[in-house]
């Protein structure tokens, strides 16, 4: 019995997901490796860019794959507001805090780097928070589709900051400007159309073959192989050309229950790899004070937008869900990738964004722990919100949706129609 008691002493608190502990461990490993190996030599190489893009693609697909489509359709106006007005407002608030705090006009680009919510973090943490299915779908959509707006802001704000700091010409990060952005949208549309068409055709072929052979299980196995191969090919192509919008939208369409466990594991591996990469760069030096201020500004900007703006577009959210959205800022590989892209024109961006990512995630983890064990008065308020101990859905949520479990961070939803997935 003594051994059992000792084991309980070392067990992680229920409010701390195991994957968070794993991320902390891989971050420390990255720091140790980064002290003896400088990763900057890899930045800009084809292998590095492909690897980083693959991590981001896995996170985007896993994020939208786990979404409750019914909840998404119900709050579509809120999603559109979040990824347009919300991103612009958050970037402006963060940039304003940084410029006013340090008096450096180039710090305006830092607001872009951390304005988005990292989809890989949202996908990996899954149901570790205490949101209703509706609120989690809203946060997932917000995280999955705010990247294109962030890229668009990068083209214009980076050009302004480059000029404001006294540099001549256009920054390298702007690339071909608006023309390059339009080309990217066209390539994303082409990839998405191809994937959806092949997925639909493969399902029809598998169904016809199963009917001819009178073997329903044959359709299931063939459909699983074809869908899995198609998703892998899509992720590879997207990583090669950074076609992330296509991946995010495909996660809403290309679904199959047989992929649940594979997607879950892929997201977990990608999440840990992202923190390993972050540790490598943090070991090269950090701008601690600006980084902490940047992280605090990002976390606060999310609260301002979620609590002050989103209620205008999303009606009927319980108080607990509104608070959870306000504390929903998470940063990870997306912020690091944007910082690396900006580093060439604005040296020191990575050194500032690195500690900001850690600050944001520490604030997020702390807030989630507090939400999991709120004050006793909150739990007894009788407003029909989620119970902190039992995790019951709010009374305002559809009871059928309460059984929908995102594909990441928890047990998988059972049944072929769970989470809007097809029975393939």
């Amino acid at each position: 019995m003594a051994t059992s008691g000792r084991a309980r002493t070392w067990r992680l608190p229920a409010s701390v997901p195991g994957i968070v502990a794993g991320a902390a461990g891989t971050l420390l490993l990255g720091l140790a490796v980064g002290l003896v190996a400088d990763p900057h030599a890899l930045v800009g190489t084809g292998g590095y860019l492909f690897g980083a893009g693959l991590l981001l693609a896995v996170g985007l697909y896993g994020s939208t794959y786990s979404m409750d489509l019914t909840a998404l359709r119900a709050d579509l106006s809120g999603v559109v507001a979040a990824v347009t007005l919300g991103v612009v407002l958050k970037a402006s608030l963060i940039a304003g805090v940084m410029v006013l705090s340090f008096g450096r006009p180039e710090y305006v680009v830092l607001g872009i780097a951390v304005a988005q919510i990292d989809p890989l973090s949202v996908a990996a943490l899954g149901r570790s928070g205490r949101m209703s299915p509706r609120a989690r779908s809203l946060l997932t959509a917000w995280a999955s589709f705010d990247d294109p707006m962030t890229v668009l802001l990068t083209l214009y704000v980076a050009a302004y900051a480059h000029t404001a700091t006294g540099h001549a010409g256009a920054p390298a990060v702007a690339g071909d400007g608006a023309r390059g952005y339009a080309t990217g949208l066209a390539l994303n549309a082409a990839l998405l159309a191809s994937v959806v068409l092949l997925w639909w055709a493969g399902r029809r072929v598998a169904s016809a073959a199963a009917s001819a052979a009178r073997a329903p299980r044959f359709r299931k196995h063939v459909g699983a192989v074809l869908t899995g191969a198609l998703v892998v090919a899509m992720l590879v192509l997207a990583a090669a050309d950074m076609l992330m919008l296509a991946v995010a939208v495909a996660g809403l369409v290309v679904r199959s229950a047989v992929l649940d466990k594979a997607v879950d594991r892929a997201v977990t591996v990608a999440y840990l790899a992202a923190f390993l990469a972050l540790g490598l760069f943090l070991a090269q030096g950090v701008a601690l004070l600006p980084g902490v201020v940047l992280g605090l500004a990002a976390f606060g900007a999310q609260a301002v937008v979620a609590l002050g703006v989103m209620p205008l577009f999303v009606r009927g959210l319980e108080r607990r869900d509104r608070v959870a959205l306000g504390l929903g800022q998470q940063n990870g590989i997306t912020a690091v990738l944007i910082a690396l892209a900006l580093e060439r024109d604005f040296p020191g961006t990575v050194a500032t964004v690195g500690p900001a990512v850690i600050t944001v995630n520490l604030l997020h983890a702390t807030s989630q722990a507090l939400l999991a064990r709120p004050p006793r008065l909150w739990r007894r308020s009788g407003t029909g919100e989620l119970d902190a101990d039992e995790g019951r859905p709010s009374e305002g949520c559809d009871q059928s949706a309460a059984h929908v479990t995102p594909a990441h961070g928890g047990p998988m939803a059972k049944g072929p129609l769970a989470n809007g997935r097809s029975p393939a």
Side-chain angles (χ1 to χ4, degrees):
M1 296 301 292
T3 303
S4 177
R6 197 178 303 118
R8 283 195 298 270
T9 302
W10 290 100
R11 185 177 301 169
L12 281 172
S15 59
V16 180
I19 194 171
V20 172
T26 55
L27 177 66
L28 293 176
L29 177 60
L31 285 169
V33 175
L35 292 175
V36 297
D38 186 354
H40 284 90
L42 298 176
V43 176
T45 64
Y48 170 81
L49 293 176
F50 175 79
L54 188 60
L55 293 180
L56 183 55
V58 169
L60 279 168
Y61 182 74
S63 185
T64 56
Y65 180 91
S66 68
M67 287 174 58
D68 179 0
L69 298 183
T70 302
L72 175 63
R73 286 191 292 267
D75 292 322
L76 188 58
S77 61
V79 171
V80 173
V83 301
T84 53
L85 177 61
V87 173
V88 174
L89 182 56
K90 283 174 63 177
S92 301
L93 289 173
I94 300 167
V97 169
M98 294 302 294
V99 173
L100 290 175
S101 298
F102 299 99
R104 299 181 60 176
E106 66 269 28
Y107 273 9
V108 71
V109 301
L110 297 176
I112 304 173
V114 296
Q116 38 65 44
I117 304 173
D118 185 54
L120 181 54
S121 299
V122 173
L125 291 176
R127 285 178 61 88
S128 58
R130 297 288 178 168
M131 294 184 181
S132 68
R134 179 189 178 192
R136 177 147 300 282
S137 292
L138 181 58
L139 179 63
T140 300
W142 192 340
S144 301
F145 295 107
D146 60 0
D147 286 349
M149 179 58 68
T150 303
V151 171
L152 185 60
L153 284 176
T154 301
L155 299 178
Y156 296 102
V157 177
Y160 163 78
H162 198 255
T163 302
T165 54
H167 295 93
V173 71
D176 294 331
R179 178 182 300 177
Y181 187 77
T183 301
L185 287 178
L187 291 174
N188 272 284
L191 176 60
L192 176 63
S194 300
V195 169
V196 172
L197 180 61
L198 289 173
W199 178 71
W200 176 81
R203 283 164 49 87
R204 294 294 297 270
V205 169
S207 180
S211 298
R214 296 184 179 180
R217 295 188 64 182
F218 176 79
R219 176 182 181 274
K220 179 180 179 181
H221 294 314
V222 172
V225 172
L226 292 177
T227 303
L230 181 61
V231 169
V232 170
M234 175 189 66
L235 295 178
V236 170
L237 291 174
D241 292 312
M242 298 302 287
L243 304 178
M244 299 303 159
L245 182 57
V247 173
V249 178
L252 300 173
V253 181
V254 182
R255 297 179 168 199
S256 177
V258 296
L259 294 180
D260 287 352
K261 290 184 179 180
V263 172
D264 187 23
R265 292 168 182 166
V267 167
T268 299
V269 171
Y271 183 71
L272 297 178
F275 273 85
L276 178 66
L278 179 60
L280 291 174
F281 287 100
L282 285 176
Q284 308 309 309
V286 297
L288 186 59
L289 180 59
V292 171
V293 173
L294 178 61
L296 291 171
F299 201 78
Q302 170 68 19
V304 170
V305 172
L307 298 176
V309 177
M310 292 307 294
L312 302 176
F313 300 92
V314 181
R315 305 288 184 179
L317 279 179
E318 298 285 354
R319 181 185 65 179
R320 189 174 182 82
D321 281 336
R322 295 196 300 271
V323 171
L325 285 174
L327 301 176
Q329 181 68 24
Q330 298 166 65
N331 286 121
I333 189 63
T334 310
V336 174
L337 288 175
I338 294 175
L340 288 171
L342 293 168
E343 181 75 19
R344 293 169 292 179
D345 300 302
F346 306 96
T349 301
V350 174
T352 305
V353 170
V357 170
I358 300 301
T359 300
V360 167
N361 288 329
L362 285 175
L363 289 171
H364 180 266
T366 302
S367 67
Q368 295 306 306
L370 292 175
L371 283 178
R373 295 182 177 277
R376 188 179 302 275
L377 179 61
W378 186 354
R379 277 184 278 171
R380 293 181 177 178
S381 60
T383 58
E385 295 160 5
L386 287 174
D387 184 87
D389 298 318
E390 299 178 9
R392 292 191 297 267
S394 63
E395 293 176 0
C397 294
D398 183 2
Q399 292 303 312
S400 62
H403 298 288
V404 176
T405 303
H408 318 297
M412 298 309 307
K414 303 299 183 181
L417 298 180
N419 235 2
R421 299 186 184 93
S422 67

